[in-house]
Amino acid sequence: MDLDKIFNPKSVAVIGVSENPNKIGSVIFRTLTKLFKGESYQVNKNHDFLYGKVCYPSITDLVKETKHKPELVVIAVPVNEALKVLEESGKLGIKNCIMVTAGFKEIGNNSAENKLQQIIKKRKINMIGPNCLGVLNTSNNLDTLFLPPERLQRPKKGNISFISQSGAVGSAVVDLAASQNLGFSKFVSYGNAANIDESDLLEFLEKDDDTHVICMYLEGVHNGERFFEVAKRVAKKKPVIAIKGGLSDGGKKATLSHTGSLAGNASVYEGIFKQTGILEAHSLEEVFDYAKIFSFIKNNTHGRNVQIITNGGGYGILAADAVEQYGLSLTQLETKSVTALQKKFPSLVTVSNPLDLVGDANNERYEIAIETCLEDKNVDMLLVIILSQTPLIDLDIVPIIERLSKSTKKPIISVTTGGAYSHELKEMLESVGIPCYDFPHNAVNAMKELVDFAKK
Amino acid sequence: MDLDKIFNPKSVAVIGVSENPNKIGSVIFRTLTKLFKGESYQVNKNHDFLYGKVCYPSITDLVKETKHKPELVVIAVPVNEALKVLEESGKLGIKNCIMVTAGFKEIGNNSAENKLQQIIKKRKINMIGPNCLGVLNTSNNLDTLFLPPERLQRPKKGNISFISQSGAVGSAVVDLAASQNLGFSKFVSYGNAANIDESDLLEFLEKDDDTHVICMYLEGVHNGERFFEVAKRVAKKKPVIAIKGGLSDGGKKATLSHTGSLAGNASVYEGIFKQTGILEAHSLEEVFDYAKIFSFIKNNTHGRNVQIITNGGGYGILAADAVEQYGLSLTQLETKSVTALQKKFPSLVTVSNPLDLVGDANNERYEIAIETCLEDKNVDMLLVIILSQTPLIDLDIVPIIERLSKSTKKPIISVTTGGAYSHELKEMLESVGIPCYDFPHNAVNAMKELVDFAKK
């Protein structure tokens, strides 16, 4: 299945634009005309002109008048009309569709679902949906998310792609990611998956050069055998992080009325994830934490020996506990590193792991510590905790860490906790490519995934 | 041991104020003179006047000249001098001390440690520290934290108190809490605990009416038997949330050089926490999540039957999974509630648990759902997920939930995820007393603690 025109169409027609600017079709069209790097058209029976552009009474009229077949049609009209438009588009030879409309099998409307399937088959259509938000592609600004930007911030261009069966999960996470400055390549909410399903999307992202990390929110898998085969192949090349909704009995029941999915057994999914190499997240926060580390850290040929550097003793201890809990290893520095550091540091600094630079640590002490640890052959990864409550640390530490991180292939992961100043530090660290977590626990949990992925 | 004068002294003398405004003693004194609702004095040999106030050459001179014995002395000078000042203060009959100075048993300086113990015994002194940040009390603005407010935001007055053996853990968490608008009553970083230890502090907070929730970061316990007895008593009256640093071998080793603590065995601590009724947190984030729910929800006589209300299907499903994972129960609404809701809602809304109000839910739909569920006798607690990406929900939902929450004793916990608008919603919800979490997982984890505490 070729999904290229779903994500990279040269032209898009939106069906369901109305004079009410807040209607779904209108929001989609208005967003598209603003930023999409292609042609956009609208269909409306009652108006000749809306939102600064010509309207066409039907998709047939559009094709006739413009002498152009849009490469993608986005349908946001009620079920019965949606089916008619899909048939009409198919007849015109338009092969790619995003069906936003809801009211199919998720509410038990099997006759509509059957008709939908018949049209898709007969007209050989590639369709996302129904019952979905559709697609966001940051490289061409194709954006069918019918949620206004003042409510759902669009993320900057980046290397994370997110496949979500649930529109709400997808949009909330994208909004949060945007506010935290994480970069996305593609986001797709695919709803009932009547045609294009998670396996097709995975396969598409496998070949998408802009996508380095794939996140998935799944409720059900539509073709288990194919999913297994595709996932196994893709998860070898790119980290695939998945969270499964409906692992409990209560959750399972709810997936049926949500996306019409049969949620299946929790242990079956766990098995599939393990065997295919998909990295399973157990909460949305984990999806976030994992996506972040893979988005920042490109090099994945590293071992599990972690050196912790901190200016807060308690933080170092909690990080050490997490390293052990998550099955990573607290490394022991080479003797020459220990000697070198002891010479340079005051006696209150115990050169060990964690390496506690103590409360009066300044930027320079960090520089010495990081540089020496990066050169140590016993160190595979650095966890650098920087608590900015003490005034001897300041934002000038960021270019220091940036320089050191560029001189090494060893991943550097950072942690900082606190209020305004700490947030500024975090943003600056991430702007120079150092992933930064709020707590040691989240950082180490993500580092463990990095190692697990590299092992494959 | 009476700790009242440690937290509520009428007058404080700071030893170690210098002409350098960034020295520890100077920062402490400058902060104190600004906001402390009592008298503050400073000792400096070389100056008569600093920071707009008179200096006294010694604590003895201070007492002689002012004819007043400060109720609390804060010592921030190097070890040997610190011991002399403590002896001198003790001789003058000053019984309460915060010893900020480091360099005792945590670096193996046993002779200093022994001298310290001798003076404490001989002079019958109550001492916090050494090697600590000391005390923050939001009710009188006693504040010995030597970290400047532009780096460590002070929290607003509230009902959480936090006992931390580690200064860094304490200050980072307090800074974060302040930025998230959580209210604190007391914070104490008690370092090596040469005299006043975690049991004494627990006992003090037991009787402190301003403290409703007690959080602890522990590295070691100084008198196991006494701790067990005190904790068991206190944890029956107030929720006590503890995180133990040094549960792993690596972490354990580090506690010795940090606060001179013998970390002890992980399973021993787990046992102590379980048997005393202390709520054990496994990450700082959990400390946060747990503290928040107890800080907001005062009523603790409730069962484990949760009704989920959501406008995002996937979020409802993930919340349902979490409810089952954490051993709470997804309740079934009474028939009369189901009938009433079905009448009022469009057919796309499946009245079940989770109750998915679907993507076009508005404030009114939430109002009907919350009101009906609160009246339902099968519901003990409500988890209300509000995803604000959809424009039909707006901030006017907050007074609605506020009104409903005041009409009930059933806890209402909320979740919202996203960027700027979602943050605003979260802040507003919390300002009217509704705790709000970023993800269902964190909310349900905290709700489980609420139920566990109420069971006791």
Side-chain angles (χ1 to χ4, degrees), chain A residues 116-164:
Chain A
L116 184 68
Q117 293 291 1
Q118 281 164 18
I119 301 169
I120 289 170
K121 212 168 181 182
K122 184 168 145 206
R123 300 295 179 189
K124 297 196 178 67
I125 288 167
N126 291 337
M127 188 191 74
I128 296 269
N131 184 25
C132 72
L133 286 177
V135 165
L136 173 73
N137 181 356
T138 56
S139 68
N140 62 357
N141 291 325
L142 174 68
D143 181 344
T144 73
L145 278 45
F146 53 84
L147 300 166
E150 66 272 19
R151 292 303 190 86
L152 169 61
Q153 292 176 239
R154 268 51 173 182
K156 65 173 186 184
K157 206 170 158 175
N159 60 19
I160 302 171
S161 287
F162 186 11
I163 306 174
S164 178

Side-chain angles (χ1 to χ4, degrees), chain A residues 184-410:
Chain A
F184 271 63
S185 173
K186 299 179 180 60
F187 163 66
V188 47
S189 141
Y190 65 100
N192 292 10
N195 176 230
I196 294 170
D197 67 13
E198 51 287 334
S199 306
D200 302 317
L201 291 165
L202 253 187
E203 212 161 33
F204 174 75
L205 293 176
E206 175 186 12
K207 289 169 206 140
D208 179 40
D209 289 338
D210 294 337
T211 298
H212 296 192
V213 193
I214 302 168
C215 301
M216 307 184 89
Y217 170 77
L218 289 173
E219 292 187 355
V221 158
H222 294 79
N223 179 337
E225 211 170 314
R226 180 161 136 71
F227 180 75
F228 192 90
E229 176 202 307
V230 173
K232 201 166 175 177
R233 195 181 66 232
V234 181
K236 270 195 195 105
K237 298 182 197 164
K238 299 180 180 183
V240 179
I241 301 150
I243 180 164
K244 170 72 177 69
L247 290 177
S248 67
D249 288 340
K252 228 180 275 180
K253 235 179 64 190
T255 61
L256 204 59
S257 61
H258 184 225
T259 54
S261 300
L262 286 166
N265 194 287
S267 60
V268 170
Y269 275 96
E270 203 181 308
I272 293 178
F273 292 153
K274 274 232 175 76
Q275 288 167 51
T276 54
I278 286 180
L279 308 168
E280 186 179 5
H282 295 90
S283 65
L284 288 175
E285 192 181 29
E286 278 194 349
V287 175
F288 236 83
D289 288 344
Y290 295 173
K292 182 190 272 190
I293 206 163
F294 287 110
S295 172
F296 279 92
I297 308 285
K298 306 287 153 54
N299 169 45
N300 55 23
T301 56
H302 33 73
R304 54 201 325 109
N305 294 312
V306 179
Q307 174 67 41
I308 300 166
I309 298 172
T310 182
N311 60 340
Y315 261 71
I317 291 165
L318 291 172
D321 287 347
V323 163
E324 197 166 298
Q325 181 193 332
Y326 285 115
L328 297 178
S329 168
L330 272 187
T331 195
Q332 195 155 1
L333 292 174
E334 293 176 275
T335 315
K336 65 173 183 186
S337 310
V338 175
T339 315
L341 290 172
Q342 277 170 340
K343 255 188 214 159
K344 285 176 185 157
F345 288 155
S347 65
L348 273 173
V349 174
T350 314
V351 178
S352 182
N353 195 1
L355 172 52
D356 181 2
L357 303 177
V358 305
D360 66 346
N362 55 12
N363 298 348
E364 196 202 345
R365 210 179 282 171
Y366 269 93
E367 184 171 18
I368 295 168
I370 295 171
E371 192 154 32
T372 309
C373 292
L374 285 175
E375 282 166 9
D376 191 300
K377 70 172 174 44
N378 295 347
V379 174
D380 297 321
M381 286 196 275
L382 273 193
L383 178 61
V384 181
I385 299 166
I386 308 166
L387 298 172
S388 64
Q389 283 77 31
T390 56
L392 292 178
I393 294 292
D394 65 28
L395 300 174
D396 290 338
I397 200 169
V398 177
I400 295 174
I401 300 184
E402 182 187 15
R403 179 181 62 78
L404 294 170
S405 77
K406 286 189 172 152
S407 73
T408 181
K409 284 188 167 176
K410 299 180 182 180

Side-chain angles (χ1 to χ4, degrees), chain B residues 292-437:
Chain B
K292 182 190 270 189
I293 206 163
F294 287 110
S295 171
F296 279 94
I297 308 285
K298 306 289 155 52
N299 170 45
N300 55 23
T301 56
H302 34 73
R304 54 198 328 106
N305 294 311
V306 179
Q307 174 67 41
I308 300 165
I309 298 172
T310 182
N311 61 339
Y315 260 72
I317 291 164
L318 291 173
D321 288 346
V323 162
E324 196 166 298
Q325 181 194 333
Y326 285 115
L328 297 177
S329 167
L330 272 187
T331 195
Q332 193 156 5
L333 292 174
E334 293 176 275
T335 315
K336 66 173 185 188
S337 311
V338 175
T339 316
L341 290 173
Q342 277 170 341
K343 255 188 214 160
K344 285 176 185 159
F345 287 154
S347 65
L348 273 174
V349 174
T350 313
V351 178
S352 182
N353 194 1
L355 171 52
D356 182 2
L357 303 177
V358 305
D360 66 346
N362 55 11
N363 297 349
E364 196 202 346
R365 209 179 283 170
Y366 268 94
E367 185 172 17
I368 295 167
I370 295 172
E371 194 155 30
T372 309
C373 292
L374 285 176
E375 282 166 8
D376 191 298
K377 71 172 173 44
N378 295 347
V379 175
D380 297 321
M381 286 196 276
L382 274 192
L383 179 61
V384 181
I385 299 165
I386 308 165
L387 298 172
S388 62
Q389 283 76 32
T390 56
L392 292 178
I393 294 292
D394 65 28
L395 299 176
D396 290 339
I397 200 170
V398 177
I400 295 173
I401 300 184
E402 182 186 15
R403 180 181 63 76
L404 293 170
S405 77
K406 286 189 173 153
S407 73
T408 182
K409 285 188 168 177
K410 299 180 181 180
I412 301 177
I413 286 88
S414 68
V415 167
T416 189
T417 306
Y421 197 85
S422 156
H423 277 124
E424 206 178 333
L425 175 60
K426 182 180 182 179
E427 270 182 26
M428 282 183 66
L429 283 167
E430 297 200 331
S431 75
V432 302
I434 310 289
C436 187
Y437 292 85

